[in-house]
Amino acid sequence: MRVNKITWILFLNIFLVFIFLVLFFNSILFFKCRNEAVNLPETSNYIMRIHFYGSTEINNINTVSANISLLDTSNTEIAVIERSWNGTFIDIDFTTVSFANKTYFFPQKIYGTNSVKSKYNPFTPKKGSNLFPYYVENKNCLLFSSGFSYEQKKSLYNLAVFSTSPISFFIPSVSKKITVNLSNCQGGKTYGLYKDNSGKLFLRED
């Protein structure tokens, strides 16, 4: 009984130390990002190009397909994801960071859904395409085009990392998690996903 108690206390202390270290290093990242964002330009208002193929049903299984391009600040394609997902519609998860009256959007995942209204839920497993690796390379964020410096791309990378950090979930005034639902997209048409002046996303046919 005494051994079990000692083991439990040891485990609890290790867990508390782990939580402290996570909060400590993420707090450092928060202040680092806040300082770097002051002189950092905004990313492009044109975030994605989406060519929607449509949805099909085979053997009672719905699939939806599209060609989705990630764009940098010069509206050049960083990467193209062309595939099908299980579901009737497509959702795209984003994380955001807002500092110095500027909002930065970071695409996180594309996946299929059967809902016309979706909400970001990090605790629900989603089978889809993780987008982070498509625009991050060697701790540089490629959402800034080739005209930007290494330091600027590194700062944007720090913001992207912070947007998914544990502490960001507790600061909704700085970091939000949102889902864009593409249920209004029609097969055979191309759409642009844009950021407006108020820091919100909207979909428009191109």
Side-chain angles (χ1 to χ4, degrees):
M1 179 68 74
R2 181 176 175 80
V3 173
N4 288 338
K5 185 176 180 180
I6 293 174
T7 301
W8 170 249
I9 292 174
L10 180 62
F11 172 79
L12 182 61
N13 287 335
I14 293 174
F15 177 74
L16 291 175
V17 169
F18 172 76
I19 294 297
F20 171 79
L21 290 175
V22 168
L23 292 175
F24 176 75
F25 286 111
N26 279 276
S27 296
I28 292 176
L29 180 61
F30 168 79
F31 289 108
K32 180 180 179 65
C33 289
R34 188 181 66 175
N35 293 334
E36 290 180 335
V38 172
N39 298 315
L40 197 66
E42 289 194 76
T43 49
S44 174
N45 288 339
Y46 190 10
I47 296 176
M48 282 184 178
R49 184 184 302 114
I50 302 160
H51 183 76
F52 191 73
Y53 295 131
S55 59
T56 58
E57 181 181 347
I58 302 176
N59 297 326
N60 295 321
I61 298 176
N62 291 315
T63 60
V64 58
S65 57
N67 178 303
I68 299 178
S69 301
L70 304 183
L71 306 175
D72 65 16
T73 47
S74 65
N75 297 337
T76 301
E77 290 180 345
I78 304 170
V80 178
I81 301 94
E82 185 175 38
R83 54 160 292 180
S84 297
W85 297 269
N86 290 334
T88 307
F89 311 109
I90 292 174
D91 275 355
I92 306 177
D93 283 349
F94 286 84
T95 56
T96 76
V97 174
S98 298
F99 286 116
N101 297 318
K102 293 173 285 190
T103 300
Y104 302 87
F105 285 84
F106 301 103
Q108 297 298 328
K109 179 172 278 193
I110 303 174
Y111 53 95
T113 179
N114 291 310
S115 174
V116 297
K117 293 184 179 179
S118 305
K119 186 177 181 180
Y120 190 100
N121 187 344
F123 304 108
T124 301
K126 304 164 186 172
K127 293 183 179 179
S129 305
N130 291 318
L131 299 178
F132 199 80
Y134 284 99
Y135 59 89
V136 168
E137 184 179 275
N138 297 325
K139 295 187 177 181
N140 278 261
C141 185
L142 303 181
L143 295 178
F144 276 163
S145 62
S146 58
F148 288 81
S149 68
Y150 170 83
E151 289 75 17
Q152 289 172 317
K153 291 182 179 182
K154 179 66 180 297
S155 294
L156 193 61
Y157 166 81
N158 290 334
L159 291 178
V161 171
F162 172 77
S163 74
T164 60
S165 68
I167 198 171
S168 71
F169 284 84
F170 300 99
I171 317 176
S173 61
V174 172
S175 181
K176 291 182 171 59
K177 324 303 176 189
I178 61 174
T179 296
V180 175
N181 182 272
L182 304 183
S183 59
N184 290 328
C185 292
Q186 299 179 24
K189 293 187 176 181
T190 301
Y191 299 84
L193 187 61
Y194 297 86
K195 177 180 67 173
D196 64 20
N197 292 331
S198 64
K200 295 181 180 179
L201 294 180
F202 67 94
L203 201 64
R204 186 178 72 195
E205 185 177 346
D206 282 354

